[in-house]
PDB file of all heavy atoms in Angstrom:
ATOM      1  N   GLU A  99     109.927  79.851  94.538  1.00  0.00           N
ATOM      2  CA  GLU A  99     108.977  80.966  94.675  1.00  0.00           C
ATOM      3  C   GLU A  99     108.070  80.776  95.890  1.00  0.00           C
ATOM      4  O   GLU A  99     107.768  81.728  96.613  1.00  0.00           O
ATOM      5  CB  GLU A  99     108.148  81.114  93.393  1.00  0.00           C
ATOM      6  CG  GLU A  99     108.942  81.774  92.267  1.00  0.00           C
ATOM      7  CD  GLU A  99     108.242  81.668  90.919  1.00  0.00           C
ATOM      8  OE1 GLU A  99     107.073  81.236  90.891  1.00  0.00           O
ATOM      9  OE2 GLU A  99     108.894  81.997  89.905  1.00  0.00           O
ATOM     10  N   GLU A 100     107.660  79.531  96.118  1.00  0.00           N
ATOM     11  CA  GLU A 100     106.804  79.247  97.288  1.00  0.00           C
ATOM     12  C   GLU A 100     107.569  79.501  98.588  1.00  0.00           C
ATOM     13  O   GLU A 100     107.025  80.045  99.556  1.00  0.00           O
ATOM     14  CB  GLU A 100     106.305  77.806  97.240  1.00  0.00           C
ATOM     15  CG  GLU A 100     105.221  77.580  96.187  1.00  0.00           C
ATOM     16  CD  GLU A 100     104.865  76.103  96.025  1.00  0.00           C
ATOM     17  OE1 GLU A 100     105.699  75.244  96.385  1.00  0.00           O
ATOM     18  OE2 GLU A 100     103.763  75.821  95.536  1.00  0.00           O
ATOM     19  N   ILE A 101     108.848  79.107  98.598  1.00  0.00           N
ATOM     20  CA  ILE A 101     109.683  79.327  99.797  1.00  0.00           C
ATOM     21  C   ILE A 101     109.819  80.836 100.061  1.00  0.00           C
ATOM     22  O   ILE A 101     109.684  81.293 101.199  1.00  0.00           O
ATOM     23  CB  ILE A 101     111.081  78.669  99.621  1.00  0.00           C
ATOM     24  CG1 ILE A 101     110.951  77.149  99.695  1.00  0.00           C
ATOM     25  CG2 ILE A 101     112.069  79.176 100.680  1.00  0.00           C
ATOM     26  CD1 ILE A 101     112.197  76.386  99.264  1.00  0.00           C
ATOM     27  N   VAL A 102     110.063  81.606  98.997  1.00  0.00           N
ATOM     28  CA  VAL A 102     110.213  83.060  99.141  1.00  0.00           C
ATOM     29  C   VAL A 102     108.922  83.673  99.681  1.00  0.00           C
ATOM     30  O   VAL A 102     108.953  84.494 100.612  1.00  0.00           O
ATOM     31  CB  VAL A 102     110.622  83.705  97.793  1.00  0.00           C
ATOM     32  CG1 VAL A 102     110.475  85.228  97.850  1.00  0.00           C
ATOM     33  CG2 VAL A 102     112.055  83.332  97.443  1.00  0.00           C
ATOM     34  N   GLN A 103     107.786  83.282  99.127  1.00  0.00           N
ATOM     35  CA  GLN A 103     106.496  83.831  99.590  1.00  0.00           C
ATOM     36  C   GLN A 103     106.253  83.496 101.059  1.00  0.00           C
ATOM     37  O   GLN A 103     105.839  84.354 101.852  1.00  0.00           O
ATOM     38  CB  GLN A 103     105.345  83.288  98.729  1.00  0.00           C
ATOM     39  CG  GLN A 103     105.280  83.947  97.356  1.00  0.00           C
ATOM     40  CD  GLN A 103     104.324  83.229  96.413  1.00  0.00           C
ATOM     41  OE1 GLN A 103     103.564  82.355  96.845  1.00  0.00           O
ATOM     42  NE2 GLN A 103     104.359  83.591  95.142  1.00  0.00           N
ATOM     43  N   PHE A 104     106.530  82.224 101.417  1.00  0.00           N
ATOM     44  CA  PHE A 104     106.361  81.775 102.806  1.00  0.00           C
ATOM     45  C   PHE A 104     107.250  82.599 103.735  1.00  0.00           C
ATOM     46  O   PHE A 104     106.804  83.117 104.766  1.00  0.00           O
ATOM     47  CB  PHE A 104     106.704  80.285 102.897  1.00  0.00           C
ATOM     48  CG  PHE A 104     106.856  79.765 104.300  1.00  0.00           C
ATOM     49  CD1 PHE A 104     105.743  79.452 105.067  1.00  0.00           C
ATOM     50  CD2 PHE A 104     108.117  79.587 104.864  1.00  0.00           C
ATOM     51  CE1 PHE A 104     105.883  78.975 106.368  1.00  0.00           C
ATOM     52  CE2 PHE A 104     108.267  79.117 106.167  1.00  0.00           C
ATOM     53  CZ  PHE A 104     107.147  78.808 106.909  1.00  0.00           C
ATOM     54  N   LEU A 105     108.532  82.770 103.359  1.00  0.00           N
ATOM     55  CA  LEU A 105     109.473  83.479 104.230  1.00  0.00           C
ATOM     56  C   LEU A 105     109.193  84.975 104.271  1.00  0.00           C
ATOM     57  O   LEU A 105     109.369  85.608 105.319  1.00  0.00           O
ATOM     58  CB  LEU A 105     110.917  83.206 103.794  1.00  0.00           C
ATOM     59  CG  LEU A 105     111.424  81.794 104.114  1.00  0.00           C
ATOM     60  CD1 LEU A 105     112.807  81.564 103.538  1.00  0.00           C
ATOM     61  CD2 LEU A 105     111.427  81.535 105.623  1.00  0.00           C
ATOM     62  N   ASP A 106     108.766  85.546 103.155  1.00  0.00           N
ATOM     63  CA  ASP A 106     108.375  86.967 103.180  1.00  0.00           C
ATOM     64  C   ASP A 106     107.299  87.194 104.239  1.00  0.00           C
ATOM     65  O   ASP A 106     107.366  88.128 105.037  1.00  0.00           O
ATOM     66  CB  ASP A 106     107.827  87.404 101.805  1.00  0.00           C
ATOM     67  CG  ASP A 106     108.944  87.675 100.796  1.00  0.00           C
ATOM     68  OD1 ASP A 106     110.127  87.659 101.191  1.00  0.00           O
ATOM     69  OD2 ASP A 106     108.625  87.894  99.606  1.00  0.00           O
ATOM     70  N   ARG A 107     106.320  86.303 104.231  1.00  0.00           N
ATOM     71  CA  ARG A 107     105.178  86.439 105.156  1.00  0.00           C
ATOM     72  C   ARG A 107     105.622  86.215 106.609  1.00  0.00           C
ATOM     73  O   ARG A 107     105.340  87.012 107.502  1.00  0.00           O
ATOM     74  CB  ARG A 107     104.104  85.433 104.760  1.00  0.00           C
ATOM     75  CG  ARG A 107     102.775  85.587 105.491  1.00  0.00           C
ATOM     76  CD  ARG A 107     101.728  84.651 104.912  1.00  0.00           C
ATOM     77  NE  ARG A 107     102.044  83.240 105.143  1.00  0.00           N
ATOM     78  CZ  ARG A 107     102.339  82.371 104.164  1.00  0.00           C
ATOM     79  NH1 ARG A 107     102.378  82.764 102.891  1.00  0.00           N
ATOM     80  NH2 ARG A 107     102.614  81.113 104.442  1.00  0.00           N
ATOM     81  N   GLU A 108     106.338  85.113 106.842  1.00  0.00           N
ATOM     82  CA  GLU A 108     106.715  84.736 108.221  1.00  0.00           C
ATOM     83  C   GLU A 108     107.746  85.701 108.814  1.00  0.00           C
ATOM     84  O   GLU A 108     107.652  86.062 109.986  1.00  0.00           O
ATOM     85  CB  GLU A 108     107.261  83.299 108.244  1.00  0.00           C
ATOM     86  CG  GLU A 108     106.250  82.230 107.842  1.00  0.00           C
ATOM     87  CD  GLU A 108     105.057  82.159 108.791  1.00  0.00           C
ATOM     88  OE1 GLU A 108     105.264  82.275 110.002  1.00  0.00           O
ATOM     89  OE2 GLU A 108     103.929  81.999 108.290  1.00  0.00           O
ATOM     90  N   THR A 109     108.740  86.089 108.014  1.00  0.00           N
ATOM     91  CA  THR A 109     109.770  86.990 108.563  1.00  0.00           C
ATOM     92  C   THR A 109     109.182  88.387 108.805  1.00  0.00           C
ATOM     93  O   THR A 109     109.599  89.075 109.737  1.00  0.00           O
ATOM     94  CB  THR A 109     111.012  87.105 107.645  1.00  0.00           C
ATOM     95  OG1 THR A 109     110.609  87.548 106.351  1.00  0.00           O
ATOM     96  CG2 THR A 109     111.752  85.787 107.555  1.00  0.00           C
ATOM     97  N   ALA A 110     108.214  88.802 107.984  1.00  0.00           N
ATOM     98  CA  ALA A 110     107.567  90.105 108.213  1.00  0.00           C
ATOM     99  C   ALA A 110     106.870  90.109 109.571  1.00  0.00           C
ATOM    100  O   ALA A 110     106.911  91.112 110.299  1.00  0.00           O
ATOM    101  CB  ALA A 110     106.570  90.406 107.099  1.00  0.00           C
ATOM    102  N   GLU A 111     106.240  88.966 109.934  1.00  0.00           N
ATOM    103  CA  GLU A 111     105.577  88.859 111.255  1.00  0.00           C
ATOM    104  C   GLU A 111     106.593  88.963 112.386  1.00  0.00           C
ATOM    105  O   GLU A 111     106.392  89.671 113.366  1.00  0.00           O
ATOM    106  CB  GLU A 111     104.812  87.535 111.357  1.00  0.00           C
ATOM    107  CG  GLU A 111     103.457  87.565 110.669  1.00  0.00           C
ATOM    108  CD  GLU A 111     102.648  86.293 110.919  1.00  0.00           C
ATOM    109  OE1 GLU A 111     102.903  85.614 111.937  1.00  0.00           O
ATOM    110  OE2 GLU A 111     101.782  85.991 110.095  1.00  0.00           O
ATOM    111  N   ILE A 112     107.706  88.233 112.222  1.00  0.00           N
ATOM    112  CA  ILE A 112     108.751  88.256 113.260  1.00  0.00           C
ATOM    113  C   ILE A 112     109.345  89.663 113.353  1.00  0.00           C
ATOM    114  O   ILE A 112     109.542  90.203 114.449  1.00  0.00           O
ATOM    115  CB  ILE A 112     109.855  87.216 112.963  1.00  0.00           C
ATOM    116  CG1 ILE A 112     109.282  85.796 113.079  1.00  0.00           C
ATOM    117  CG2 ILE A 112     111.041  87.386 113.919  1.00  0.00           C
ATOM    118  CD1 ILE A 112     110.233  84.699 112.626  1.00  0.00           C
ATOM    119  N   ASP A 113     109.617  90.289 112.192  1.00  0.00           N
ATOM    120  CA  ASP A 113     110.205  91.638 112.186  1.00  0.00           C
ATOM    121  C   ASP A 113     109.284  92.652 112.862  1.00  0.00           C
ATOM    122  O   ASP A 113     109.749  93.559 113.561  1.00  0.00           O
ATOM    123  CB  ASP A 113     110.509  92.086 110.748  1.00  0.00           C
ATOM    124  CG  ASP A 113     111.624  91.251 110.121  1.00  0.00           C
ATOM    125  OD1 ASP A 113     112.328  90.549 110.866  1.00  0.00           O
ATOM    126  OD2 ASP A 113     111.785  91.308 108.887  1.00  0.00           O
ATOM    127  N   ALA A 114     107.973  92.494 112.653  1.00  0.00           N
ATOM    128  CA  ALA A 114     107.006  93.406 113.285  1.00  0.00           C
ATOM    129  C   ALA A 114     107.032  93.232 114.803  1.00  0.00           C
ATOM    130  O   ALA A 114     106.971  94.218 115.555  1.00  0.00           O
ATOM    131  CB  ALA A 114     105.608  93.147 112.739  1.00  0.00           C
ATOM    132  N   LEU A 115     107.162  91.989 115.259  1.00  0.00           N
ATOM    133  CA  LEU A 115     107.259  91.714 116.706  1.00  0.00           C
ATOM    134  C   LEU A 115     108.530  92.318 117.290  1.00  0.00           C
ATOM    135  O   LEU A 115     108.506  92.917 118.365  1.00  0.00           O
ATOM    136  CB  LEU A 115     107.267  90.199 116.948  1.00  0.00           C
ATOM    137  CG  LEU A 115     105.937  89.513 117.219  1.00  0.00           C
ATOM    138  CD1 LEU A 115     106.154  87.997 117.333  1.00  0.00           C
ATOM    139  CD2 LEU A 115     105.314  90.025 118.513  1.00  0.00           C
ATOM    140  N   VAL A 116     109.647  92.146 116.571  1.00  0.00           N
ATOM    141  CA  VAL A 116     110.927  92.696 117.027  1.00  0.00           C
ATOM    142  C   VAL A 116     110.829  94.224 117.123  1.00  0.00           C
ATOM    143  O   VAL A 116     111.254  94.824 118.112  1.00  0.00           O
ATOM    144  CB  VAL A 116     112.086  92.282 116.082  1.00  0.00           C
ATOM    145  CG1 VAL A 116     113.350  93.095 116.366  1.00  0.00           C
ATOM    146  CG2 VAL A 116     112.390  90.793 116.238  1.00  0.00           C
ATOM    147  N   ALA A 117     110.230  94.843 116.093  1.00  0.00           N
ATOM    148  CA  ALA A 117     110.095  96.308 116.088  1.00  0.00           C
ATOM    149  C   ALA A 117     109.262  96.774 117.285  1.00  0.00           C
ATOM    150  O   ALA A 117     109.580  97.787 117.921  1.00  0.00           O
ATOM    151  CB  ALA A 117     109.458  96.774 114.783  1.00  0.00           C
ATOM    152  N   LYS A 118     108.191  96.027 117.615  1.00  0.00           N
ATOM    153  CA  LYS A 118     107.351  96.358 118.765  1.00  0.00           C
ATOM    154  C   LYS A 118     108.161  96.313 120.056  1.00  0.00           C
ATOM    155  O   LYS A 118     108.058  97.179 120.921  1.00  0.00           O
ATOM    156  CB  LYS A 118     106.205  95.343 118.868  1.00  0.00           C
ATOM    157  CG  LYS A 118     104.856  95.873 118.443  1.00  0.00           C
ATOM    158  CD  LYS A 118     103.801  94.829 118.744  1.00  0.00           C
ATOM    159  CE  LYS A 118     102.411  95.342 118.462  1.00  0.00           C
ATOM    160  NZ  LYS A 118     101.406  94.278 118.596  1.00  0.00           N
ATOM    161  N   LYS A 119     108.954  95.251 120.188  1.00  0.00           N
ATOM    162  CA  LYS A 119     109.745  95.078 121.409  1.00  0.00           C
ATOM    163  C   LYS A 119     110.861  96.119 121.494  1.00  0.00           C
ATOM    164  O   LYS A 119     111.197  96.591 122.583  1.00  0.00           O
ATOM    165  CB  LYS A 119     110.301  93.658 121.483  1.00  0.00           C
ATOM    166  CG  LYS A 119     109.193  92.638 121.725  1.00  0.00           C
ATOM    167  CD  LYS A 119     109.708  91.244 121.978  1.00  0.00           C
ATOM    168  CE  LYS A 119     108.562  90.251 122.129  1.00  0.00           C
ATOM    169  NZ  LYS A 119     107.656  90.598 123.246  1.00  0.00           N
ATOM    170  N   GLU A 120     111.442  96.494 120.347  1.00  0.00           N
ATOM    171  CA  GLU A 120     112.471  97.539 120.366  1.00  0.00           C
ATOM    172  C   GLU A 120     111.861  98.883 120.769  1.00  0.00           C
ATOM    173  O   GLU A 120     112.480  99.674 121.474  1.00  0.00           O
ATOM    174  CB  GLU A 120     113.166  97.624 118.997  1.00  0.00           C
ATOM    175  CG  GLU A 120     114.170  96.484 118.825  1.00  0.00           C
ATOM    176  CD  GLU A 120     114.781  96.391 117.442  1.00  0.00           C
ATOM    177  OE1 GLU A 120     114.217  97.002 116.494  1.00  0.00           O
ATOM    178  OE2 GLU A 120     115.803  95.698 117.303  1.00  0.00           O
ATOM    179  N   ARG A 121     110.632  99.126 120.332  1.00  0.00           N
ATOM    180  CA  ARG A 121     109.916 100.347 120.742  1.00  0.00           C
ATOM    181  C   ARG A 121     109.643 100.321 122.248  1.00  0.00           C
ATOM    182  O   ARG A 121     109.741 101.352 122.919  1.00  0.00           O
ATOM    183  CB  ARG A 121     108.599 100.461 119.947  1.00  0.00           C
ATOM    184  CG  ARG A 121     107.733 101.661 120.306  1.00  0.00           C
ATOM    185  CD  ARG A 121     108.393 102.985 119.970  1.00  0.00           C
ATOM    186  NE  ARG A 121     107.653 104.132 120.492  1.00  0.00           N
ATOM    187  CZ  ARG A 121     108.193 105.160 121.111  1.00  0.00           C
ATOM    188  NH1 ARG A 121     109.495 105.212 121.318  1.00  0.00           N
ATOM    189  NH2 ARG A 121     107.450 106.164 121.534  1.00  0.00           N
ATOM    190  N   LEU A 122     109.329  99.132 122.772  1.00  0.00           N
ATOM    191  CA  LEU A 122     109.092  98.986 124.214  1.00  0.00           C
ATOM    192  C   LEU A 122     110.359  99.341 124.998  1.00  0.00           C
ATOM    193  O   LEU A 122     110.295 100.028 126.030  1.00  0.00           O
ATOM    194  CB  LEU A 122     108.638  97.559 124.540  1.00  0.00           C
ATOM    195  CG  LEU A 122     108.397  97.216 126.011  1.00  0.00           C
ATOM    196  CD1 LEU A 122     107.401  98.166 126.657  1.00  0.00           C
ATOM    197  CD2 LEU A 122     107.922  95.773 126.164  1.00  0.00           C
ATOM    198  N   ILE A 123     111.514  98.918 124.509  1.00  0.00           N
ATOM    199  CA  ILE A 123     112.785  99.255 125.172  1.00  0.00           C
ATOM    200  C   ILE A 123     112.997 100.775 125.155  1.00  0.00           C
ATOM    201  O   ILE A 123     113.399 101.367 126.156  1.00  0.00           O
ATOM    202  CB  ILE A 123     113.970  98.509 124.520  1.00  0.00           C
ATOM    203  CG1 ILE A 123     113.929  97.040 124.945  1.00  0.00           C
ATOM    204  CG2 ILE A 123     115.309  99.140 124.906  1.00  0.00           C
ATOM    205  CD1 ILE A 123     114.966  96.164 124.336  1.00  0.00           C
ATOM    206  N   GLU A 124     112.684 101.413 124.015  1.00  0.00           N
ATOM    207  CA  GLU A 124     112.784 102.882 123.941  1.00  0.00           C
ATOM    208  C   GLU A 124     111.890 103.542 124.992  1.00  0.00           C
ATOM    209  O   GLU A 124     112.293 104.484 125.669  1.00  0.00           O
ATOM    210  CB  GLU A 124     112.360 103.374 122.554  1.00  0.00           C
ATOM    211  CG  GLU A 124     113.414 103.205 121.478  1.00  0.00           C
ATOM    212  CD  GLU A 124     112.879 103.590 120.097  1.00  0.00           C
ATOM    213  OE1 GLU A 124     111.897 104.357 120.028  1.00  0.00           O
ATOM    214  OE2 GLU A 124     113.430 103.103 119.103  1.00  0.00           O
ATOM    215  N   LEU A 125     110.650 103.035 125.113  1.00  0.00           N
ATOM    216  CA  LEU A 125     109.708 103.597 126.093  1.00  0.00           C
ATOM    217  C   LEU A 125     110.204 103.394 127.520  1.00  0.00           C
ATOM    218  O   LEU A 125     110.067 104.276 128.372  1.00  0.00           O
ATOM    219  CB  LEU A 125     108.316 102.966 125.921  1.00  0.00           C
ATOM    220  CG  LEU A 125     107.570 103.331 124.626  1.00  0.00           C
ATOM    221  CD1 LEU A 125     106.330 102.464 124.460  1.00  0.00           C
ATOM    222  CD2 LEU A 125     107.190 104.805 124.611  1.00  0.00           C
ATOM    223  N   LEU A 126     110.792 102.226 127.784  1.00  0.00           N
ATOM    224  CA  LEU A 126     111.342 101.951 129.121  1.00  0.00           C
ATOM    225  C   LEU A 126     112.495 102.907 129.427  1.00  0.00           C
ATOM    226  O   LEU A 126     112.620 103.395 130.552  1.00  0.00           O
ATOM    227  CB  LEU A 126     111.814 100.493 129.222  1.00  0.00           C
ATOM    228  CG  LEU A 126     110.710  99.437 129.321  1.00  0.00           C
ATOM    229  CD1 LEU A 126     111.288  98.039 129.140  1.00  0.00           C
ATOM    230  CD2 LEU A 126     109.973  99.526 130.655  1.00  0.00           C
ATOM    231  N   GLN A 127     113.335 103.182 128.422  1.00  0.00           N
ATOM    232  CA  GLN A 127     114.447 104.122 128.618  1.00  0.00           C
ATOM    233  C   GLN A 127     113.915 105.526 128.904  1.00  0.00           C
ATOM    234  O   GLN A 127     114.445 106.244 129.748  1.00  0.00           O
ATOM    235  CB  GLN A 127     115.366 104.146 127.381  1.00  0.00           C
ATOM    236  CG  GLN A 127     116.142 102.857 127.140  1.00  0.00           C
ATOM    237  CD  GLN A 127     116.928 102.407 128.357  1.00  0.00           C
ATOM    238  OE1 GLN A 127     116.477 101.589 129.143  1.00  0.00           O
ATOM    239  NE2 GLN A 127     118.103 102.954 128.543  1.00  0.00           N
ATOM    240  N   GLU A 128     112.843 105.907 128.163  1.00  0.00           N
ATOM    241  CA  GLU A 128     112.231 107.223 128.398  1.00  0.00           C
ATOM    242  C   GLU A 128     111.650 107.301 129.816  1.00  0.00           C
ATOM    243  O   GLU A 128     111.781 108.313 130.505  1.00  0.00           O
ATOM    244  CB  GLU A 128     111.128 107.483 127.363  1.00  0.00           C
ATOM    245  CG  GLU A 128     111.661 107.803 125.975  1.00  0.00           C
ATOM    246  CD  GLU A 128     110.582 107.754 124.897  1.00  0.00           C
ATOM    247  OE1 GLU A 128     109.377 107.841 125.243  1.00  0.00           O
ATOM    248  OE2 GLU A 128     110.932 107.635 123.706  1.00  0.00           O
ATOM    249  N   GLN A 129     111.013 106.197 130.241  1.00  0.00           N
ATOM    250  CA  GLN A 129     110.426 106.137 131.586  1.00  0.00           C
ATOM    251  C   GLN A 129     111.520 106.257 132.649  1.00  0.00           C
ATOM    252  O   GLN A 129     111.377 106.971 133.644  1.00  0.00           O
ATOM    253  CB  GLN A 129     109.671 104.814 131.741  1.00  0.00           C
ATOM    254  CG  GLN A 129     108.917 104.674 133.058  1.00  0.00           C
ATOM    255  CD  GLN A 129     108.371 103.266 133.250  1.00  0.00           C
ATOM    256  OE1 GLN A 129     108.200 102.512 132.294  1.00  0.00           O
ATOM    257  NE2 GLN A 129     108.111 102.908 134.488  1.00  0.00           N
ATOM    258  N   ARG A 130     112.645 105.583 132.405  1.00  0.00           N
ATOM    259  CA  ARG A 130     113.779 105.594 133.336  1.00  0.00           C
ATOM    260  C   ARG A 130     114.330 107.021 133.475  1.00  0.00           C
ATOM    261  O   ARG A 130     114.592 107.508 134.577  1.00  0.00           O
ATOM    262  CB  ARG A 130     114.854 104.650 132.794  1.00  0.00           C
ATOM    263  CG  ARG A 130     115.982 104.327 133.759  1.00  0.00           C
ATOM    264  CD  ARG A 130     117.010 103.467 133.046  1.00  0.00           C
ATOM    265  NE  ARG A 130     117.903 102.811 133.977  1.00  0.00           N
ATOM    266  CZ  ARG A 130     118.963 103.379 134.521  1.00  0.00           C
ATOM    267  NH1 ARG A 130     119.242 104.635 134.251  1.00  0.00           N
ATOM    268  NH2 ARG A 130     119.731 102.706 135.361  1.00  0.00           N
ATOM    269  N   THR A 131     114.503 107.683 132.317  1.00  0.00           N
ATOM    270  CA  THR A 131     115.020 109.058 132.312  1.00  0.00           C
ATOM    271  C   THR A 131     114.078 110.000 133.061  1.00  0.00           C
ATOM    272  O   THR A 131     114.518 110.823 133.874  1.00  0.00           O
ATOM    273  CB  THR A 131     115.209 109.545 130.856  1.00  0.00           C
ATOM    274  OG1 THR A 131     116.094 108.641 130.187  1.00  0.00           O
ATOM    275  CG2 THR A 131     115.791 110.943 130.804  1.00  0.00           C
ATOM    276  N   ALA A 132     112.777 109.868 132.801  1.00  0.00           N
ATOM    277  CA  ALA A 132     111.784 110.745 133.454  1.00  0.00           C
ATOM    278  C   ALA A 132     111.763 110.515 134.965  1.00  0.00           C
ATOM    279  O   ALA A 132     111.657 111.458 135.757  1.00  0.00           O
ATOM    280  CB  ALA A 132     110.402 110.485 132.861  1.00  0.00           C
ATOM    281  N   LEU A 133     111.891 109.245 135.356  1.00  0.00           N
ATOM    282  CA  LEU A 133     111.898 108.880 136.779  1.00  0.00           C
ATOM    283  C   LEU A 133     113.071 109.555 137.501  1.00  0.00           C
ATOM    284  O   LEU A 133     112.909 110.171 138.562  1.00  0.00           O
ATOM    285  CB  LEU A 133     112.009 107.354 136.893  1.00  0.00           C
ATOM    286  CG  LEU A 133     111.883 106.740 138.274  1.00  0.00           C
ATOM    287  CD1 LEU A 133     110.414 106.666 138.677  1.00  0.00           C
ATOM    288  CD2 LEU A 133     112.484 105.334 138.290  1.00  0.00           C
TER     289      LEU A 133
END
Side-chain angles (χ1 to χ4, degrees):
E99 284 168 9
E100 286 172 338
I101 288 168
V102 167
Q103 285 169 11
F104 168 80
L105 287 175
D106 281 353
R107 189 173 66 246
E108 296 297 320
T109 57
E111 280 186 24
I112 294 172
D113 293 345
L115 267 176
V116 167
K118 254 186 175 173
K119 291 187 183 301
E120 283 173 343
R121 178 65 188 135
L122 178 55
I123 285 177
E124 282 175 22
L125 292 170
L126 286 169
Q127 292 307 95
E128 286 167 20
Q129 185 189 339
R130 191 184 196 278
T131 303
L133 186 79

